Each structure stands twice: as structure tokens, then as C-alpha cells.
């Protein structure tokens, strides 16, 4: 009987210890997810393609490179401004120069106005390449955000490939990928051809 009790007590201690370890692990994981401090999320890459008629590679590039056009095709984009800490200013109605900074404001200002500051990494209208990057991204949601356009002539039309990638830093970043996929589809396949046709 004594041996049985000793075995029972030993088993109980192991169960309690295992339970405590599980709770500690759960708390640590939860805190990391809440703080965005753990790399528990896989990088996200979203690819969307489109075709634009009656527009050259240069026309499409210049439209996409000009920040004032972004809210016209991005449903969540409200406005664009030059960041206060930017070293150089430029006309937001014209293509962003390489190393130029643009602050894109989303949501419904002033109630809800998250923003992302983009840096133009490359812009070549001749070959149809355009890239923006934001290391900070959207704090608490995602970081290392990248927008890359590959624009090519395709017979009578111009094809556009959009790659959007980022590192989720919280569950909100993972959920954002679903909304972004829908938004990118609307932007590229419907709004972009519509807006460019107005300029033809």
C-alpha cells in the first residue's frame, strides 16, 4: 500500500509539473504573439496580375509611381503626404523619385488613421520596374513590407504583375493578408484599368 501511495504521489507531482510547464509555455507564446516579438508567423507574399489596354509600359509605370493615384485604386487608402522627416520634397502627382519617402494614410481619419511610410527603392519606366519598401510597416501588425511591380508590353495590352510581401508581427498581420488579397484583386483587375482608361 505504501509503495502504491508513493507511486501515486510521484505521478501527481509529475502531472502538476507538466501542467505548470504547459501553462508557462502557453503564457510565453501568448505574450510573444501579443507583443509581436516572436517570429511565429511565416512571411506572406501575395501575387496579383492584370492587363491594361490602350496604355504603354511607361504610362502604367508613371501612374503607379505617382502617389496621388494610390487612393484611386486602393480601397483602404485615404490620402498620401510627404513625411515630416523627409529630407526632400516632391510633387505627389508625379512619379516618386528613387529614395523618395511617401506616407500613405489608411482608414477614416481622424478617427482611425493607421499609416505606412514607403521608400521608393527602384523606379524604371523604360523596363517597367517599380518597388517600394517599408521596414517599419504597420506597427503591431506587420513589418518589412514590400510592393513590387513588374510591367511588360504584351501585344496590344500591357501586363502588370504585383507582388506584395511582408512579415506579420501579430495575428492581425495574418488576418490582414486575407483582406489585402481581396483589395489587390479589386485594385489591379478593375480599378487600375478603369483609372488609366480615363487618361487615355
Amino acid at each position: 500500500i505504501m509503495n502504491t501511495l508513493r507511486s501515486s504521489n510521484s505521478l501527481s507531482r509529475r502531472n502538476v509539473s507538466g501542467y505548470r510547464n504547459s501553462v508557462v509555455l502557453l503564457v510565453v507564446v501568448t505574450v510573444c504573439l501579443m507583443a509581436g516579438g516572436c517570429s511565429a508567423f511565416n512571411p506572406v507574399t501575395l501575387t496579383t496580375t492584370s492587363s491594361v489596354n490602350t496604355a504603354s509600359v511607361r504610362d502604367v509605370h508613371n501612374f503607379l509611381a505617382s502617389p496621388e493615384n494610390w487612393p484611386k485604386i486602393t480601397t483602404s487608402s485615404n490620402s498620401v503626404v510627404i513625411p515630416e522627416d523627409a529630407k526632400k520634397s516632391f510633387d505627389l502627382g508625379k512619379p516618386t523619385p528613387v529614395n523618395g519617402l511617401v506616407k500613405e494614410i489608411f482608414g477614416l481619419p481622424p478617427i482611425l488613421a493607421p499609416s505606412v511610410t514607403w521608400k521608393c527603392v527602384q523606379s524604371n519606366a523604360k523596363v517597367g520596374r517599380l518597388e517600394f519598401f517599408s521596414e517599419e510597416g504597420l506597427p503591431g501588425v506587420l513589418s518589412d513590407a514590400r510592393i513590387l511591380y513588374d510591367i511588360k508590353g504584351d501585344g496590344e495590352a500591357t501586363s502588370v504583375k504585383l507582388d506584395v510581401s511582408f512579415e506579420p508581427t501579430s495575428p492581425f498581420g495574418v488576418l490582414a493578408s486575407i483582406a489585402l488579397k481581396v483589395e489587390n484583386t479589386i485594385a489591379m483587375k478593375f480599378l487600375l484599368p478603369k483609372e488609366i482608361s480615363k487618361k487615355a
Side-chain angles (χ1 to χ4, degrees), residues 65-71 76-86 88-90 92 96 99-107 109 112-120 132-134 136-139 147:
S66 303
E68 282 188 357
N69 292 324
W70 299 353
S76 63
S77 180
N78 178 275
S79 57
V80 291
V81 297
I82 301 293
E84 294 181 359
D85 58 346
K88 294 183 179 180
S89 182
F90 62 94
L92 291 170
T96 309
N99 294 323
L101 298 178
V102 182
K103 182 178 181 180
E104 185 173 16
I105 302 170
F106 301 90
L112 180 64
S115 65
V116 175
T117 297
W118 299 101
K119 179 180 180 179
C120 183
F132 291 90
F133 180 72
S134 177
E136 182 182 29
L138 190 59
I147 297 176

Side-chain angles (χ1 to χ4, degrees), residues 15-83:
N15 287 341
V16 170
S17 178
Y19 174 75
R20 286 176 178 172
N21 290 339
S22 298
V23 170
V24 170
L25 179 61
L26 179 61
V27 170
V28 170
V29 171
T30 302
V31 170
C32 284
L33 294 181
M34 293 290 289
C38 291
S39 56
F41 307 103
N42 294 323
V44 173
T45 298
L46 305 173
T47 299
T48 312
T49 60
S50 180
S51 181
V52 181
N53 296 316
T54 66
S56 66
V57 171
R58 182 175 294 275
D59 291 337
V60 176
H61 171 277
N62 289 346
F63 179 89
L64 293 170
S66 303
E68 282 188 357
N69 292 324
W70 299 353
K72 297 177 182 178
I73 63 172
T74 306
T75 55
S76 63
S77 180
N78 178 275
S79 57
V80 291
V81 297
I82 301 293

